C-alpha cells in the first residue's frame, strides 16, 4: 500500500495504524509507561523496585495465561480469583502434612473447579460466563468455609519460595516465565492447542471435523483452574499469609484485561501468549504509576477500564474490513 | 436487447480499478461498466477477483489509491463517488446479494428481510404485524412459502438465498448485484429468479450477475465481462459468443485444449464390489427423516436426488453422526457405527463435506494449512505433539493436487475466494483417507475448470475403491456422476434409479413424484413448498 495522501484516502493509513496498534500496542504501552516513570517517578530505576514490580505481576501473569486459553476457545473464566482463594485455604489447611502435599492438594482444588466449569460448559451447554460466574461465587464461599479468617503461613520453605531468588531473579518470576513458555509451546505445538484454536474460531466446523470438542473444552478450564491455583499458592508464599477473603479479589478483571490488551480477540480462535505477558506487565506498571503518584486505588480501576476499551476498540475497528 | 454501447447511459462504472491485499493483487486495473436495463454477467475462475470487484463497487472494500490520474475511479449516475460503507452504497441505490449469505442467522426471516428499514408504527416501534405480512407477501411473490417468524438459520441455504434475493429486490434499487445467487437453488427456484431478473431489466434496473453455471448466462444475460487474474480480459455482448470460447477466455487456454478436454469430466460407470461399504438402515429423525435406507458399495458413486428440504443433507448428516437419529443403524464396512457421534463416524472412515461451507466447514481465522490438517491432526502428531514436517508434506500434496489458489499455505482461509475455500475443505477430508465420502454440493461455487477437476477427482476416488454419496442440485452433475440415484421426498426414499434409468426425465419425475404421463417440466408459478427444511442446525447444537 502506498501512502499517497489524497483527502479521503488517509483511511488506508488508519487501517495500518490500527493493525500496528493491535499487534504491538501493548509493547508500545509498556515502553511509554517505562519512559514516563523513569522520567517522572523518583526512585523508579532501582533493582529493588523492578524486583517488587516483577514479583507482584507474576501471579496476575500466571492467571492471565489460563484466561488466554479460555478466551481463545471463545469462552472466559470468571472463577480464577475464587480459585486463588480456594487454593490458599487448602494450602494452609494441609500445610501440616508437609509442604508438597499441601501444594498438590491446592493445585488439585483448582483442577477440580476447572473440571466443574469445563463440564458445565462442554456437557451441559451452559454459557462460559454463567458457568464460571456460579463457580466464582461457590469457590469463594468454599474457601471461606475451609478457612474463615486470615492465617499466617509460618512454613520456612514456603517463605523462601515467596522471597528467594536465583542470581537475583525471584523464584516467582522464574516460575511465571517457565509457565508462559509452557503455555506458548502448548498453543503452538500440540494437537490440543490447534484444536482449541479451531474450536474457538468456529465451533460448528470443529464439531463436523470430528474434533473432540468437549474434551478440549474441559481441558481448557482445567488448565485455567490449575494455573489460577498455582498463582494462589505463589501469592500466599509471597504474603506469608492465607487470606481467602481478599486474595484474588477482582483478579478475573485484571486477567481479562491483560489478555485483551495483549491482542487476543474476545471472539476466540487466537491466543497470544507474548501479548498476554506484556499485557499483565502493562497493568502492573499502570497501577504502580498511579500509586506512586498518590492517586487513590479507584483510579487504577478506571484506568484499567479505559485500557480495556481502547484495546477492544482497536480490535473491532480492525475486524471491520 | 439494450446492450450495445450506444444504448442507455451507464449507471455504474469503474475505470482502472485496483485492489491489493497483503501479498495478493486481487484486482489489477479493471474497467467495468453496467448500463440501465442491462443484465451484465461477470465470470472468471475461482479467485479471478469477481467477488472482490463487487465488494469494491459496493463499498465493502476500498479500492487502492489511484496510481495515475483517472485510474481507480468509480462513477455512479454520472458523478464520481466513493462509498465508505456498504450502507452508503445501498442508500445510493445499489443493492447486493453477496456470495456468502450475509444475513443474521438468529433473527427471523422477516427481520432479516427488513433489516435496517423495518416498518414502524406509532412511537417508532417496529410494526411486527405489518412486517410479517409484507415479508410473507414478498416471499410468496418469489414462490417461497415459509413461516417468516422462524429464525433464518433453521432454513436451508437455498431458502436463505431466496430471502437475500427478496431483500435485494424489494428495496428501491437502480443496480442489483448478485454474486452466485443460484449456487444452492433448485431448478424451479432458478426459474423464479430468472423471472425476477427479467422483471428488473424491464424496469430499467441494471443487474450484475456472477455465476459459474454458463448455461444460465445465455439464458438471462446481455453482456459478459470475463475476469482473469484480476484483469478484465473481455467485455462484449453474450449473444454469438461460443461457450467453449468463453471457457478458454476464463482459463486463458487455447480453444483447442478446452475442446479436447470437454466440459464435464465424469467417465461414467465404475466397477463396484458386491459388499456395501456403507449401509444406512431405517434412519429416522423426528420431522426430518422417515426410515431412510441406502447402501453404497466401494467404488460406487450414489447420487442423492430430491428437492430442497427433501432430507438429502439431513441424511448425510445423520450418517456422519452430525444429526443424532431417533432410530436406525449405520454400518460401515460391516461394522455398526455409534450414531450421533461425529468422531465415531470419522474413525469408522466416514467423511462429510457439509453444505454450509461458511458456517460449518471452514475455520476462517486459521490458515489454509491448519484447515487442511484439522481433521487429520491426531494422525499427524505423535504423543500429542504436532509433526510439522508431515503436515507440510500433506498440505503441499493437496494444494497441488486440487490446485488451491492462495498466496501460500499460511494465508487465512477466510481470505480465499469461495471456490478455493471449497477445495480446502475437500482437501481436509481427502487427507483423512476415508472409506466413504459424503459430498453435499461439492462443486457449489467452483469454476468450470476446477469443477471438472473435482468431478474427475470424485471419479478417481471411486476408482480407488472409495464409496461416494453425492448430493447436488446440479442435475447434470448428478446424472453424469452417479452410478445410481436414490431419490428422496419429504424425508423418505421414493425411488431408486440405476443404470440406464438415470436420465434427466426420470429424475425430474421422481423428484416431483409425478405419474409417468404428466410432462416433466415444472411450471414456474408452482410455489416451492418448504415443509421439512428444519435443518440439522437445531439438532447438532448439543
Ligand atoms: N480479504 C482478503 N484478504 C486477502 N486476500 C483476499 C481477500 N479477499 C480476496 N482475496 C484474494 O483475492 C483473490 C480474488 O478473490 P475473489 O473472492 O474476488 O475471487 P472470485 O473471483 O470471487 O472467486 P470465486 O469464484 O471462487 O468466488 C483471491 O486470490 C483471494 O485469495
Ligand atoms: Mg466469489
Amino acid at each position: 500500500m502506498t501512502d499517497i495522501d489524497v483527502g479521503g484516502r488517509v483511511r488506508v493509513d488508519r487501517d495500518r495504524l490500527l493493525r500496528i496498534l493491535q499487534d504491538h500496542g501493548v509493547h508500545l504501552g509498556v515502553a511509554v509507561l517505562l519512559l514516563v516513570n523513569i522520567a517522572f517517578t523518583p526512585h523508579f530505576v532501582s533493582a529493588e523496585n523492578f524486583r517488587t514490580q516483577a514479583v507482584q505481576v507474576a501471579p496476575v501473569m500466571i492467571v492471565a495465561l489460563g484466561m488466554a486459553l479460555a478466551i481463545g476457545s471463545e469462552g472466559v473464566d470468571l472463577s480464577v480469583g475464587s480459585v486463588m482463594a480456594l487454593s490458599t485455604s487448602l494450602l494452609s489447611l494441609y500445610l501440616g502434612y508437609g509442604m508438597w502435599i499441601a501444594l498438590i492438594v491446592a493445585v488439585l482444588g483448582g483442577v477440580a473447579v476447572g473440571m466443574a466449569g469445563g463440564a458445565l460448559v462442554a456437557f451441559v451447554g451452559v454459557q462460559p460466563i454463567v458457568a464460571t460466574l456460579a463457580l466464582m461465587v461457590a469457590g469463594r464461599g468454599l474457601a471461606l468455609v475451609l478457612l474463615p479468617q486470615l492465617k499466617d503461613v509460618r512454613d520456612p520453605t514456603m517463605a523462601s519460595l515467596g522471597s528467594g531468588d536465583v542470581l537475583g531473579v525471584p523464584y516467582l518470576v522464574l516460575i511465571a516465565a517457565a509457565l508462559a513458555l509452557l503455555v506458548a509451546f502448548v498453543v503452538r505445538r500440540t494437537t490440543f492447542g490447534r484444536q482449541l484454536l479451531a474450536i474457538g474460531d468456529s465451533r460448528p466446523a470443529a464439531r463436523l471435523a470430528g474434533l473432540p470438542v468437549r474434551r478440549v473444552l474441559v481441558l481448557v478450564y482445567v488448565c485455567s483452574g490449575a494455573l489460577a491455583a498455582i498463582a494462589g499458592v505463589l501469592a500466599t508464599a509471597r504474603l506469608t499469609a492465607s487470606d481467602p477473603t481478599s486474595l484474588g479479589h477482582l483478579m478475573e478483571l485484571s486477567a481479562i484485561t491483560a489478555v485483551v490488551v495483549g491482542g487476543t480477540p474476545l471472539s476466540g480462535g487466537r491466543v497470544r501468549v507474548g501479548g498476554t505477558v506484556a499485557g499483565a506487565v502493562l497493568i502492573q506498571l499502570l497501577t504502580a504509576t498511579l500509586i506512586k503518584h498518590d492517586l487513590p486505588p479507584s483510579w487504577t480501576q478506571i484506568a484499567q477500564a479505559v485500557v480495556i476499551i481502547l484495546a477492544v476498540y482497536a480490535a473491532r475497528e480492525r475486524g471491520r474490513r | 436487447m439494450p446492450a450495445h454501447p450506444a444504448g442507455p447511459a451507464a449507471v455504474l462504472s469503474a475505470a482502472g480499478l485496483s485492489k491489493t491485499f497483503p501479498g495478493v493483487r486481487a484486482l489489477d486495473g479493471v474497467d467495468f461498466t453496467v448500463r440501465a436495463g442491462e443484465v451484465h454477467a461477470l465470470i472468471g475462475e475461482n479467485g479471478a477477483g469477481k467477488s472482490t470487484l463487487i465488494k469494491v463497487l459496493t463499498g465493502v472494500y476500498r479500492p487502492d489509491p489511484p496510481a495515475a490520474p483517472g485510474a481507480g475511479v468509480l462513477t455512479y449516475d454520472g458523478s464520481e463517488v466513493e462509498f465508505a460503507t456498504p450502507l452508503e452504497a445501498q442508500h445510493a441505490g445499489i443493492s447486493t446479494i453477496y456470495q456468502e449469505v450475509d444475513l443474521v442467522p438468529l433473527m427471523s426471516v422477516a427481520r432479516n428481510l427488513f433489516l435496517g428499514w423495518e416498518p414502524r408504527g406509532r412511537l417508532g416501534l417496529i410494526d411486527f404485524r405489518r412486517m410479517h405480512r409484507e415479508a410473507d407477501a414478498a416471499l410468496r411473490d418469489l414462490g417461497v412459502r415459509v413461516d417468516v417468524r422462524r429464525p433464518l438459520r433453521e432454513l436451508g441455504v437455498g431458502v436463505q438465498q431466496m430471502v437475500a434475493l427478496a431483500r435485494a429486490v424489494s428495496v428501491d434499487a437502480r443496480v442489483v448485484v448478485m454474486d452466485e445467487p443460484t449456487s444452492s437453488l433448485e431448478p424451479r427456484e432458478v426459474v423464479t429468479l430468472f423471472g425476477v431478473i427479467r422483471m428488473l431489466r424491464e424496469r430499467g434496473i441494471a443487474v450484475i450477475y456472477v455465476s459459474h453455471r454458463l448455461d444460465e448466462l445465455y439464458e438471462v444475460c446481455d453482456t459478459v465481462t470475463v475476469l482473469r487474474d484480476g484483469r478484465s480480459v473481455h467485455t462484449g455482448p453474450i449473444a454469438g459468443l461460443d461457450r467453449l470460447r468463453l471457457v478458454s477466455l476464463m482459463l486463458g487456454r487455447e480453444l483447442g485444449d478446452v475442446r479436447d478436454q470437454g466440459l464435464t469430466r465424469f467417465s461414467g460407470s465404475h466397477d463396484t464390489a458386491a459388499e456395501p461399504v456403507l449401509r444406512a438402515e431405517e434412519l429416522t429423525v423426528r420431522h426430518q427423516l422417515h426410515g431412510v435406507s441406502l447402501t453404497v458399495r466401494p467404488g460406487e458413486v450414489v447420487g442423492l436426488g430430491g428437492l430442497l428440504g427433501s432430507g438429502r443433507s439431513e441424511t448425510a448428516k445423520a450418517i456422519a453422526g452430525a444429526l443424532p437419529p431417533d432410530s436406525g443403524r449405520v454400518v460401515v464396512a460391516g461394522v455398526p457405527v455409534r450414531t450421533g457421534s461425529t468422531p465415531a463416524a470419522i474413525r469408522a472412515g466416514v467423511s462429510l463435506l457439509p453444505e454450509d461451507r461458511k458456517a460449518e466447514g471452514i475455520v476462517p481465522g486459521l490458515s489454509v494449512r491448519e484447515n487442511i490438517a484439522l481433521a487429520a491432526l491426531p494422525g499427524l502428531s505423535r504423543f500429542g505433539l504436532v509433526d510439522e514436517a508431515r503436515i507440510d508434506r500433506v498440505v503441499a500434496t493437496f494444494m497441488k493436487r486440487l490446485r488451491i489458489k492462495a498466496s501460500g499455505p499460511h494465508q487465512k482461509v477466510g481470505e480465499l475466494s469461495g471456490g478455493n475455500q471449497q477445495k480446502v475443505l475437500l482437501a481436509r477430508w481427502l487427507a483423512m483417507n476415508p472409506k466413504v465420502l459424503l459430498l453435499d454440493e461439492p462443486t457449489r461455487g467452483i469454476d468450470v475448470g476446477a469443477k471438472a477437476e473435482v468431478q474427475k477427482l470424485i471419479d478417481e476416488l471411486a476408482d480407488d475403491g472409495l464409496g461416494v454419496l453425492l448430493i447436488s442440485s446440479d442435475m447434470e452433475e448428478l446424472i453424469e456422476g452417479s452410478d445410481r440415484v436414490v431419490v428422496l421426498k419429504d424425508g423418505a426414499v421414493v425411488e431408486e434409479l440405476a443404470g440406464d434409468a438415470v436420465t434427466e426425465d426420470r429424475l425430474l419425475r421422481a423428484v416431483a413424484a409425478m405419474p409417468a404421463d404428466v410432462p416433466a417440466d415444472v411450471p414456474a408459478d408452482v410455489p416451492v413448498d418448504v415443509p421439512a427444511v428444519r435443518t440439522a442446525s437445531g439438532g447438532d447444537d448439543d
Side-chain angles (χ1 to χ4, degrees):
Chain A
M1 283 182 209
T2 43
D3 302 19
I4 301 172
D5 211 5
V6 193
R9 311 274 184 195
V10 279
R11 203 177 284 222
V12 176
D13 288 346
R14 207 183 71 135
D15 278 358
R16 194 204 273 168
L17 191 73
L18 283 168
R19 178 158 61 233
I20 294 172
L21 258 186
Q22 203 200 349
D23 286 348
H24 306 290
V26 63
H27 305 293
L28 209 76
V30 169
V32 167
L33 275 176
L34 275 177
L35 289 178
V36 165
N37 277 301
I38 290 170
F40 298 111
T41 309
H43 316 299
F44 183 78
V45 190
S46 73
E48 187 48 41
N49 181 44
F50 281 133
R51 202 186 141 100
T52 316
Q53 302 295 340
V55 167
Q56 275 180 7
V57 79
V60 185
M61 200 182 279
I62 293 170
V63 173
L65 290 171
M67 186 67 78
L69 295 181
I71 289 179
S73 74
E74 211 186 352
V76 72
D77 188 355
L78 297 183
S79 68
V80 286
S82 299
V83 167
M84 286 179 74
L86 185 63
S87 78
T88 198
S89 294
L90 287 171
L91 184 76
S92 63
L93 274 187
Y94 281 83
L95 215 47
Y97 300 94
M99 189 188 80
W100 287 106
I101 291 191
L103 282 182
I104 290 168
V105 170
V107 172
L108 283 182
V111 168
V113 174
M115 222 179 248
L120 282 175
V121 171
F123 289 93
V124 190
V126 184
Q127 296 273 345
I129 199 164
V130 178
T132 56
L133 184 69
L135 287 169
M136 167 176 157
V137 176
R140 177 84 54 186
L142 184 60
L144 285 168
V145 168
L146 292 175
L147 187 73
Q149 71 261 340
L150 188 141
K151 187 174 161 198
D152 284 340
V153 173
R154 294 211 183 74
D155 186 287
T157 337
M158 280 301 285
S160 76
L161 176 66
S163 55
D165 57 44
V166 184
L167 300 172
V169 185
Y171 287 137
L172 257 60
V173 176
L174 285 176
I175 293 172
L179 288 173
L181 287 178
L182 181 68
V183 171
F185 178 80
V186 165
V187 170
R188 306 180 82 131
R189 280 293 142 91
T190 62
T191 41
F192 166 68
R194 301 280 167 94
Q195 292 174 337
L196 153 71
L197 297 181
I199 289 169
D201 198 339
S202 172
R203 180 118 3 135
R207 195 177 289 137
L208 272 187
L211 265 52
V213 175
R214 293 171 173 161
R215 196 168 70 209
V216 171
L217 283 178
V218 170
L219 206 50
V220 163
Y221 289 92
V222 164
C223 287
S224 174
L227 286 165
I230 292 174
V233 167
L234 296 182
T236 308
R238 184 170 68 82
L239 302 168
T240 60
S242 279
D243 180 8
T245 322
S246 71
L247 187 70
H249 182 63
L250 287 183
M251 181 56 89
E252 56 287 338
L253 284 187
S254 304
I256 294 172
T257 315
V259 173
V260 172
V261 170
T264 299
L266 281 172
S267 49
R270 196 157 175 218
V271 172
R272 296 190 53 192
V273 177
T276 300
V277 169
V281 171
L282 181 76
I283 297 168
Q284 176 65 29
L285 278 174
L286 198 64
T287 314
T289 313
L290 296 176
I291 288 176
K292 292 214 158 143
H293 290 269
D294 288 330
L295 290 163
S298 49
W299 278 68
T300 317
Q301 276 151 27
I302 294 172
Q304 255 190 41
V306 171
V307 170
I308 292 192
I309 289 167
L310 279 178
V312 172
Y313 172 79
R316 264 192 72 100
E317 276 296 300
R318 205 187 134 197
R320 271 184 34 208
R321 60 175 65 201
Chain B
M1 298 270 129
H4 44 89
V11 187
L12 180 65
S13 69
L17 209 62
S18 296
K19 175 72 192 169
T20 314
F21 295 109
V24 193
R25 194 162 184 99
L27 294 179
D28 191 1
V30 171
D31 298 323
F32 182 80
T33 301
V34 59
R35 296 164 194 286
E38 173 192 53
V39 182
H40 196 137
L42 188 58
I43 66 169
E45 276 188 287
N46 292 133
K50 304 178 295 294
S51 299
T52 306
L53 176 59
I54 282 170
K55 287 180 181 166
V56 173
L57 291 178
T58 58
V60 178
Y61 294 142
R62 193 163 284 270
D64 289 352
V73 174
L74 222 58
T75 315
Y76 178 62
D77 208 11
S79 51
E80 205 176 299
V81 286
E82 194 177 311
F83 299 122
T85 63
L87 201 67
E88 252 175 55
Q90 219 170 43
H91 283 311
I94 303 178
S95 99
T96 314
I97 308 172
Y98 294 101
Q99 182 172 12
E100 307 292 353
V101 180
D102 61 335
L103 303 169
V104 189
L106 285 175
M107 284 192 182
S108 71
V109 172
R111 286 297 302 265
N112 269 294
L113 249 172
F114 286 95
L115 203 62
W117 49 294
E118 294 86 354
R120 304 274 168 179
R122 271 173 301 151
L123 302 171
L125 298 176
I126 297 177
D127 183 349
F128 278 100
R129 295 244 320 259
R130 207 173 112 210
M131 187 168 84
H132 288 150
R133 205 173 49 236
E134 287 178 8
D136 195 55
L139 284 172
R140 249 168 224 272
D141 280 351
L142 298 180
V144 179
R145 269 200 228 135
V146 294
D147 179 355
V148 296
R149 277 169 290 244
R150 275 176 43 197
L152 190 75
R153 65 159 194 177
E154 289 180 13
L155 307 172
V157 181
V159 183
Q160 296 189 15
Q161 277 191 338
M162 291 307 266
V163 173
L165 174 68
R167 181 179 159 81
V169 298
S170 48
V171 285
D172 221 2
R174 303 195 48 206
V175 182
V176 175
V177 187
M178 306 181 179
D179 196 350
E180 301 199 31
T182 56
S183 57
S184 307
L185 297 186
E186 297 300 320
R188 263 205 286 205
E189 294 164 308
V190 173
V191 171
T192 312
L193 172 74
F194 289 176
V196 172
I197 292 179
R198 293 199 184 97
M199 175 205 70
L200 293 173
R201 171 163 56 198
E202 257 142 51
R203 285 202 218 145
I205 292 168
V207 178
I208 302 175
Y209 187 86
V210 179
S211 177
H212 288 295
R213 298 190 186 172
L214 298 185
D215 320 339
E216 295 178 358
L217 308 184
Y218 288 96
E219 218 172 302
V220 286
C221 299
D222 308 311
T223 320
V224 62
T225 291
V226 182
L227 287 186
R228 192 197 315 146
D229 292 331
R231 294 165 200 261
S232 77
V233 291
H234 176 88
T235 299
I238 195 159
L241 195 61
D242 180 48
R243 185 170 150 158
L244 281 177
R245 166 114 180 90
L246 213 53
V247 174
S248 80
L249 276 170
M250 277 170 63
L251 304 184
R253 278 192 240 139
E254 289 301 314
L255 205 56
D257 293 353
V258 177
R259 191 174 291 132
D260 291 347
Q261 291 182 356
L263 286 174
T264 42
R265 278 295 192 77
F266 287 120
S267 63
S269 56
H270 312 96
D271 302 329
T272 52
E275 268 309 298
V277 63
L278 170 72
R279 236 178 27 234
E281 295 169 1
E282 296 293 324
L283 288 174
T284 299
V285 179
R286 233 169 86 88
H287 298 313
Q288 299 185 31
L289 297 179
H290 311 288
V292 173
S293 301
L294 55 85
T295 58
V296 180
R297 283 186 277 276
E300 188 181 34
V301 180
V302 176
L304 209 49
L307 293 176
L308 263 180
S310 58
R312 292 169 308 174
S313 297
E314 289 76 4
T315 303
K317 282 195 163 178
I319 294 172
L323 178 66
D326 300 321
S327 65
R329 288 207 317 161
V330 175
V331 182
V332 177
V335 185
V337 180
R338 186 155 64 90
T339 52
S341 156
T342 328
I346 289 173
R347 249 178 279 125
V350 179
S351 290
L352 166 68
L353 186 82
E355 174 191 24
D356 192 344
R357 154 179 82 219
K358 188 184 176 195
E360 303 181 323
I362 59 161
V363 183
L366 296 189
S367 65
V368 171
R369 182 175 181 275
E370 305 306 335
N371 265 282
I372 292 179
L374 189 64
L377 211 50
L380 294 172
S381 30
R382 227 177 299 151
F383 310 119
L385 296 188
V386 178
D387 185 341
E388 305 286 354
R390 264 178 75 196
I391 292 187
D392 282 336
R393 273 201 302 280
V394 169
V395 168
T397 312
F398 283 106
M399 282 185 76
K400 199 160 135 226
R401 183 161 171 201
L402 300 187
R403 295 202 295 140
I404 295 173
K405 191 178 168 203
S407 64
H410 295 287
Q411 189 175 9
K412 278 188 187 176
V413 162
E415 295 172 355
L416 294 192
S417 77
N420 281 300
Q421 295 183 352
Q422 186 74 329
K423 292 188 198 170
V424 168
L425 281 185
L426 210 55
R428 179 192 292 170
W429 292 118
L430 294 179
M432 294 290 291
N433 270 322
K435 292 195 187 81
V436 184
L437 202 52
L438 314 174
L439 302 173
D440 199 346
E441 304 284 356
T443 59
R444 174 177 164 220
I446 287 194
D447 68 56
V448 268
K451 189 165 171 172
E453 292 287 324
V454 169
Q455 292 172 337
K456 192 169 131 219
L457 195 71
I458 296 174
D459 248 6
E460 285 171 15
L461 292 169
D463 283 339
D464 291 348
L466 201 75
V468 179
L469 189 67
L470 175 69
I471 301 177
S472 175
S473 39
D474 181 339
M475 283 282 168
E476 197 185 3
E477 181 171 289
L478 203 61
I479 292 162
E480 293 188 8
S482 312
D483 300 309
R484 206 147 50 81
V485 177
V486 175
V487 181
L488 294 180
K489 182 165 196 283
D490 294 339
V493 177
V494 288
E495 197 161 346
E496 193 171 317
L497 306 170
D500 292 340
V502 186
T503 63
E504 179 150 358
D505 187 58
R506 289 288 299 271
L507 191 58
L508 278 174
R509 275 176 211 288
V511 161
M514 275 190 296
D517 52 346
V518 179
D521 53 347
V522 192
D525 53 3
V526 172
V528 182
D529 230 323
V530 217
V533 226
R534 298 165 202 104
T535 53
S537 42
D540 60 358
D541 268 351
D542 55 350

